[in-house]
Amino acid sequence: MDGKAVLWLLCAGLAGAATLMMLGLVARRYFLDRRAIRQGRRRQELVERVIVAIDPLSGDEKAPLVGDDAGRRLLAQIGCDFMDLVRGEDRRKLQDLLEFNGVVEMALVELATGPVRRREAATAVLAPFTRQECRAALLTSLEHDPDPSVRMSAAFALVEWGGMPSMSRLVAALRMSEDKRSLRLLALFCHIAELNPAELLDLAASGTGPNVLILALHALARAGVLEALPLLLEATSHAAADVRAEAYRSLARLGHPAAEGVLAAGLDDPEWPVRVQAAMCAGRIGLVAFTGTLVGLLDDGEWWVRYRAAEALGQMGGQGLQALNSVAGQENAAGRIAQLVLSEREEAA
Amino acid sequence: MTEMILPFLLSLVEPVAWFIIGTGLAQNGVYFLQLWLAYRYLGRRGYDEAGNTLWRQYADVTPPIALLVPAFNEEETIVESVRSLLALRYASFEVIVVNDGSGDGTLDALVRGFDLAPVRRSWDDALPHKPIRGIYRNPAFPSLLVVDKDNGGKADALNAGINLSRMPLFCAVDADSVLEPDALLRCVEPFVDDPDETVAVGGTIRLANGCVVKDGCVVSVGLPKRILPLLQTMEYLRAFLMGRLAWSELKAVTLISGAFGVFRRNLAVEAGGYSHDTVGEDIEIIVKIHRLMVSRGKPYRIQFVPEPVCWTEAPSSLSVLRRQRIRWQRGALETFFRHRSMLFNPRYGRIGTLGFGHMLLVDVLGPPVEVLGYLFFPLLWWLDMLDTDYLVIFAALACVFGIFISVGSLILEELELRRFPRARDLLVLTGIAIVENLGYRQLNNIWRIEGWWQFLRGTKGNWGAMTRVGFTRG
Amino acid sequence: MQKTLILIADDNPLVTQLVSHRLGSRGFEVVTVGDGIQAVAAARSLKPSLLVLDGMMPGLDGFAVIKTLKEDPETAEIPILMLSSLKGEKDIVGALTAGAADYLVKPFIPEELILRVKRLLGTVAA
């Protein structure tokens, strides 16, 4: 019968396909394992030779270690790993070693023409090399690579190791106009805030979207850039609650007493996350003028506000602590939170 | 009388047969689709060795995470587990162990093991739970907090942990599972990439049976020696590589295993936390989060991380396994029927059509229809209404489809993750892919029918020593 | 003459290989281990003259190793040089308070490590 034959064929086809695929996989695995063993041995051997070659005392960084592309790739990997581990003379010798063995040339080619993974790896290899060609290649990748992760790692390479383009080019290259709050971007901003804060200040002042603004403010405060103060004060009255909350968090981090002028608004903000950050800010900076307002927040409807307000009073010491102690006698939400925070303080001491 | 009934029954035979066949075909169709989606996802993502780079670049900006560890009668192992959790590689995290009124010395073991003293701590009363009896810590272990509370079940313990945590993210883990040292780092990646839209992240869970575990770390991966855990290894591969990744790709994840999942604290609180009145609290919370996010009308994502982050010991006795599967089945049914208004409801988009549609097909209809098939076709054959050839062909097709799906998952594992160290392991697993269709699969379906039965009778649940992993097929 | 024994504990094999080569080629005898638990065990059994210790390791991290070794009178005297990628104030102050004799942040200058090791051993002149 025809129907039966078709069904039998289907059965046999599926079973055959499954068997063939598994056989293929096992064979593939066998070869991969053997290659992995060979590569592992080769890598180990190379690591040992690299360690000897970059020893400032006796090493010869011009020693030819590899002659093929597979070897160069291994060496590139090892080089990146060591770049994160050593500084000083060892690192300089390591860079020379990579140059002499053609690793840099290979990375330049792969950055331009390789598949995504290779391109991403190439940005990491090229990052520490300051010669013009490498910087230019990274810049090209930053602006023209179709893959966002390659662009991002090119940005890291340029920011961390020099050659960072202007902020406006960086914004355009990383498509920041989409206003996504990625923490990768924050990590990049943190580097920029350390190395080149003026650029970041310009970006924050340029009326960018709230998400990018939050990241920029956060990075500036973390790096302790006092010039960000006017921007932060202005941001405390931003339309978006997230921005206001970040402004108070960053003011707390900067610890500047100028926060006093905007704090009353923050402690009275309709959004609780803003009140939380404002309370923490008052405590961090020790603005005793707000003792009364903070005591008022001890029966806020939101636990986080109550808790942070009590914590802030405790941090202020003196007057704040006194207020906390007197509230602790009460039989209500404010009294409870005051008692608990006081006992937490005792235990921590 | 008989003259009336017999023709009626006979007229039913054909539609019933086609219904069974149709359901089976639909299920297999869904599996093939999942395989394809999972393959597409992994192919795009590529093999990832970025652990170290990640750490270097993002350690400073990773959000703090509270690890919530509900513990019930874990006296023997709890100190060791907590020690290995404290040694995880992550910038900022705290471990909150919630002793859920254990009858043994779990609390004593912790107090002695870490030299803890009772403290007072203020907490957010956002979620309901049984009274807390005491909170313990030791200043020498600043990131460890132990909570002792009245017994209330796993969901209750997790709710208490959520209330006590002061970090933006929390990660629910089982006390007895072993985490990869960079588990948190990997699972926080989606939060790092897109902190606004990511609301929860699940991690891939594998079996610790057969692996060498030393000081709370898996040092070498291997296959279990015994048949029952081996069969479950295959199920875990299918569930995580094919099932979860496909749903993640489609943005319709309906389950993050209770053994490891990272959530945004404030969203979990707003969704009402874990539910007490179900044995499937881990499915339930995801569905609740979906409902919350849909009602807000903002885009959101629940993601899955394909790399194994968590290792768990699978039951190696039939009776324990049976209880586990009955429980899973009941939990799925409880959630499905509680939220049945979401099924095919356009308001819930993909989660209503794909997520709930899949639950309907695989969890709700699947087991009874398949068991009906086991009885129905042999009966027809016995009544001489079905050719022997066809009976054999149907059986063979069911098996071959099953094998093909399993092999498909193995291919994914081998091409993208390659966690099994030896080529021989692949052969063993291929064997398992065949063997599981001859008895184990049928047994599983019978257990699931038991789960259905318990669900219908409304049997009450107790503390779940079992963690759901949620397989796409019984 | 008996060589001075130095124990190196780091989960990254590149670090153990590099440090043991550098110290080995400058006349020290070196033993390496890959995690915190082995580090404690080796410190107890070998009684090294100095321990070069990583911060983040599986099993037992560097800070816990310091605490364990300092609590045990047998090992309390072993000077510990922390070599860690953790560069936070809390980490550095924490390690030094717990009893580490010195702290170097990765990426480090290997020559500097050698000099600090020698100084801790009181053999700068050697």
Side-chain angles (χ1 to χ4, degrees):
Chain A
M1 243 217 291
D2 231 13
K4 274 186 202 170
V6 168
L7 287 177
W8 274 123
L9 263 177
L10 182 63
C11 255
L14 279 173
T19 316
L20 274 180
M21 285 190 293
M22 280 322 292
L23 282 178
L25 274 189
V26 172
R28 176 177 173 272
R29 181 50 162 313
Y30 177 75
F31 286 110
L32 283 178
D33 280 355
R34 299 213 358 197
R35 203 182 71 186
I37 292 170
R38 274 201 314 274
Q39 282 221 339
R41 270 202 218 111
R42 189 162 183 207
R43 184 187 151 95
Q44 182 51 35
E45 206 177 290
L46 270 175
V47 166
E48 281 162 22
R49 293 178 67 185
V50 168
I51 288 176
V52 174
I54 65 172
D55 188 337
L57 219 56
S58 55
D60 172 18
E61 69 272 24
K62 298 195 172 80
L65 297 185
V66 291
D68 56 324
D69 270 355
R72 282 192 198 101
R73 254 175 231 126
L74 270 178
L75 193 57
Q77 248 179 36
I78 298 169
C80 280
D81 292 347
F82 272 123
M83 221 51 95
D84 292 337
L85 281 181
V86 297
R87 300 186 285 136
E89 186 58 22
D90 290 63
R91 185 186 274 170
R92 278 189 292 277
K93 293 190 85 154
L94 179 63
Q95 286 185 324
D96 287 346
L97 179 84
L98 296 179
E99 284 273 14
F100 283 118
N101 280 283
V103 171
V104 179
E105 286 309 317
M106 182 193 68
L108 281 169
V109 173
E110 290 197 334
L111 185 60
T113 57
V116 181
R117 295 274 139 190
R118 291 259 167 89
R119 296 205 303 276
E120 207 178 342
T123 59
V125 175
L126 293 174
F129 291 89
T130 45
R131 70 180 155 101
Q132 184 48 38
E133 225 181 327
C134 301
R135 296 293 101 185
L138 284 169
L139 202 59
T140 312
S141 280
L142 169 68
E143 296 192 316
H144 301 295
D145 198 289
D147 187 85
S149 60
V150 178
R151 292 199 301 271
M152 184 54 98
S153 54
F156 267 101
L158 288 163
V159 169
E160 269 182 275
W161 299 85
M164 179 190 141
S166 70
M167 204 64 206
S168 56
R169 280 176 79 182
L170 201 61
V171 167
L174 294 175
R175 322 282 195 267
M176 273 182 224
S177 47
E178 286 162 25
D179 198 36
K180 279 259 182 184
R181 195 192 319 189
S182 130
L183 292 177
R184 284 177 206 275
L185 196 55
L186 176 58
L188 184 71
F189 279 8
C190 286
H191 282 295
I192 300 177
E194 299 263 344
L195 303 166
N196 205 346
E199 291 278 356
L200 206 52
L201 282 167
D202 285 349
L203 174 72
S206 70
T208 166
N211 284 326
V212 171
L213 178 61
I214 287 171
L215 299 183
L217 295 178
H218 188 106
L220 286 163
R222 185 190 279 242
V225 179
L226 276 178
E227 289 84 347
L229 196 62
L231 283 172
L232 289 175
L233 294 174
E234 194 193 317
T236 57
S237 53
H238 197 279
D242 288 356
V243 178
R244 297 200 297 276
E246 181 55 52
Y248 287 106
R249 190 206 318 261
S250 292
L251 281 170
R253 191 165 248 152
L254 275 186
H256 198 285
E260 193 163 356
V262 291
L263 213 55
L267 292 171
D268 195 35
D269 198 282
E271 297 288 331
W272 68 261
V274 183
R275 296 201 296 279
V276 165
Q277 294 301 332
M280 289 171 79
C281 180
R284 252 307 174 85
I285 308 182
L287 298 169
V288 266
F290 293 98
T291 310
T293 324
L294 286 172
V295 169
L297 288 182
L298 290 180
D299 32 46
D300 195 282
E302 176 62 39
W303 176 83
W304 283 102
V305 180
R306 299 199 295 277
Y307 172 69
R308 293 301 183 193
E311 193 185 48
L313 285 167
Q315 273 177 343
M316 285 177 181
Q319 210 178 320
L321 214 50
Q322 223 169 19
L324 203 55
N325 269 312
S326 66
V327 175
Q330 300 171 9
E331 282 293 322
N332 54 17
R336 269 195 303 281
I337 197 91
Q339 279 168 32
L340 285 168
V341 168
L342 281 169
S343 60
E344 271 183 42
R345 280 180 61 81
E346 266 167 47
E347 280 143 15
Chain B
M1 234 1 220
T2 0
E3 297 92 75
M4 303 259 295
I5 293 173
L6 204 60
F8 175 68
L9 280 179
L10 284 175
S11 73
L12 275 183
V13 164
E14 208 166 318
V16 170
W18 281 114
F19 177 67
I20 295 172
I21 293 170
T23 311
L25 281 176
Q27 275 193 23
N28 281 303
V30 167
Y31 296 144
F32 274 97
L33 190 70
Q34 286 184 355
L35 268 179
W36 176 68
L37 287 166
Y39 186 77
R40 205 177 70 167
Y41 174 85
L42 282 170
R44 202 178 52 223
R45 190 172 191 280
Y47 188 62
D48 170 40
E49 288 176 287
N52 270 316
T53 333
L54 258 184
W55 178 253
R56 191 170 54 92
Q57 289 181 335
Y58 309 116
D60 292 346
V61 297
T62 48
I65 300 182
L67 274 165
L68 308 184
V69 191
F72 181 70
N73 291 347
E74 311 261 2
E75 182 180 5
E76 300 288 325
T77 52
I78 190 72
V79 172
E80 200 50 44
S81 314
V82 171
R83 233 181 258 286
S84 74
L85 289 178
L86 287 172
L88 288 177
R89 247 160 58 108
Y90 196 73
S92 167
F93 70 102
E94 64 179 354
V95 177
I96 301 181
V97 184
V98 185
N99 175 38
D100 191 47
S102 298
D104 67 352
T106 302
L107 182 66
D108 289 342
L110 282 165
V111 167
R112 255 181 291 117
F114 295 97
D115 202 8
L116 302 171
V119 297
R120 298 177 66 194
R121 178 158 155 145
S122 167
W123 70 82
D124 185 8
D125 249 333
L127 297 172
H129 56 78
K130 290 271 161 54
I132 286 178
R133 300 177 194 153
I135 297 171
Y136 299 82
R137 69 187 315 165
N138 172 356
F141 298 96
S143 48
L144 174 65
L145 189 73
V146 172
V147 183
D148 183 34
K149 63 181 273 295
D150 287 349
N151 179 275
K154 188 173 174 186
D156 198 69
L158 284 168
N159 281 347
I162 294 176
N163 275 353
L164 272 148
S165 82
R166 290 175 181 171
M167 307 213 153
L169 303 180
F170 73 84
C171 173
V173 295
D174 273 359
D176 58 357
S177 48
V178 175
L179 300 193
E180 288 280 297
D182 56 2
L184 291 178
L185 204 57
R186 284 205 182 280
C187 286
V188 89
E189 229 191 305
F191 287 103
V192 169
D193 275 335
D194 194 346
D196 285 328
E197 289 189 9
T198 308
V199 294
V201 173
T204 296
I205 291 155
R206 291 283 172 91
L207 288 190
N209 308 50
C211 299
V212 183
V213 178
K214 199 168 147 267
D215 307 321
C217 281
V218 170
V219 288
S220 93
V221 181
L223 285 180
K225 300 247 171 345
R226 298 170 61 180
I227 183 76
L228 215 46
L230 259 177
L231 288 161
Q232 293 175 72
T233 301
M234 196 63 232
E235 293 182 293
Y236 274 67
L237 281 179
R238 267 203 315 267
F240 284 99
L241 274 175
M242 174 180 99
R244 300 286 216 288
L245 287 182
W247 294 125
S248 183
E249 175 83 356
L250 287 175
K251 302 191 171 117
V253 174
T254 45
L255 169 59
I256 285 179
S257 163
F260 190 97
V262 184
F263 297 82
R264 214 168 254 300
R265 182 187 182 278
N266 60 2
L267 279 177
V269 166
E270 269 179 72
Y274 286 92
S275 303
H276 293 77
D277 50 355
T278 171
V279 290
E281 74 280 338
D282 47 2
I283 303 192
E284 185 69 22
I285 192 166
I286 296 291
V287 173
K288 278 156 73 177
I289 288 177
H290 275 300
R291 293 193 93 132
L292 175 73
M293 295 312 292
V294 167
S295 74
R296 285 191 177 177
K298 276 206 205 147
Y300 68 101
R301 297 198 299 180
I302 294 179
Q303 292 255 90
F304 229 86
V305 178
E307 280 83 16
V309 291
C310 175
W311 304 80
T312 185
E313 196 76 21
S316 44
S317 87
L318 269 180
S319 64
V320 179
L321 186 64
R322 171 172 159 263
R323 278 208 304 278
Q324 182 190 50
R325 295 305 156 88
I326 290 176
R327 227 184 127 78
W328 287 354
Q329 179 64 28
R330 268 181 55 204
L333 293 175
E334 281 171 6
T335 297
F336 180 83
F337 284 104
R338 185 172 302 181
H339 300 280
R340 62 184 174 276
S341 63
M342 287 170 75
L343 179 67
F344 300 134
N345 183 339
R347 198 170 122 74
Y348 292 99
R350 292 173 165 200
I351 199 68
T353 47
L354 296 174
F356 268 68
H358 178 258
M359 267 167 98
L360 174 71
L361 189 62
V362 172
D363 292 316
V364 179
L365 291 178
V369 171
E370 189 160 335
V371 170
L372 184 64
Y374 300 158
L375 303 173
F376 188 70
F377 288 108
L379 181 73
L380 289 189
W381 171 78
W382 186 69
L383 292 173
D384 251 348
M385 293 169 73
L386 186 72
D387 233 352
T388 311
D389 279 4
Y390 271 113
L391 182 70
V392 175
I393 286 177
F394 282 142
L397 260 182
C399 279
V400 167
F401 269 120
I403 294 169
F404 192 84
I405 302 289
S406 294
V407 164
S409 309
L410 267 179
I411 293 173
L412 283 174
E413 152 72 25
E414 178 61 15
L415 291 184
E416 304 298 340
L417 299 172
R418 221 172 297 133
R419 281 301 180 106
F420 293 102
R422 296 168 306 179
R424 218 184 67 199
D425 296 338
L426 285 179
L427 285 176
V428 174
L429 285 172
T430 314
I432 290 298
I434 299 166
V435 172
E436 68 178 347
N437 287 288
L438 314 170
Y440 183 68
R441 172 178 173 180
Q442 290 74 15
L443 195 57
N444 242 301
N445 274 314
I446 291 167
W447 289 335
R448 295 181 72 162
I449 296 292
E450 283 189 69
W452 245 112
W453 176 240
Q454 284 196 5
F455 167 71
L456 289 176
R457 286 186 28 207
T459 314
K460 268 269 162 238
N462 49 359
W463 219 93
M466 296 303 156
T467 299
R468 153 188 309 282
V469 177
F471 297 139
T472 49
R473 196 184 75 198
Chain C
M1 197 189 89
Q2 208 193 333
K3 283 187 177 176
T4 315
L5 178 69
I6 295 178
L7 177 64
I8 302 165
D10 201 306
D11 60 338
N12 180 351
L14 290 184
V15 178
T16 49
Q17 285 178 61
L18 175 76
V19 177
S20 66
H21 169 264
R22 291 294 192 273
L23 291 172
S25 66
R26 271 100 175 142
F28 295 101
E29 194 181 336
V30 186
V31 174
T32 65
V33 291
D35 65 58
I37 291 163
Q38 287 180 45
V40 171
R44 285 190 177 137
S45 62
L46 301 173
K47 302 272 156 30
S49 309
L50 185 126
L51 168 62
V52 176
L53 181 66
D54 182 24
M56 286 176 303
M57 286 183 289
L60 204 58
D61 71 9
F63 304 92
V65 171
I66 298 181
K67 196 171 166 293
T68 317
L69 292 182
K70 291 298 161 189
E71 273 169 6
D72 183 349
E74 291 267 300
T75 53
E77 296 303 312
I78 302 173
I80 298 173
L81 189 153
M82 214 45 190
L83 179 62
S84 170
S85 51
L86 299 173
K87 51 180 188 284
E89 186 182 327
K90 255 202 296 191
D91 304 307
I92 299 178
V93 173
L96 294 175
T97 315
D102 207 343
Y103 197 108
L104 272 183
V105 176
K106 292 175 197 161
F108 66 106
I109 302 172
E111 284 308 301
E112 183 186 357
L113 174 79
I114 296 163
L115 289 170
R116 285 179 191 255
V117 165
K118 285 184 176 169
R119 201 183 59 199
L120 284 175
L121 295 170
T123 56
V124 181

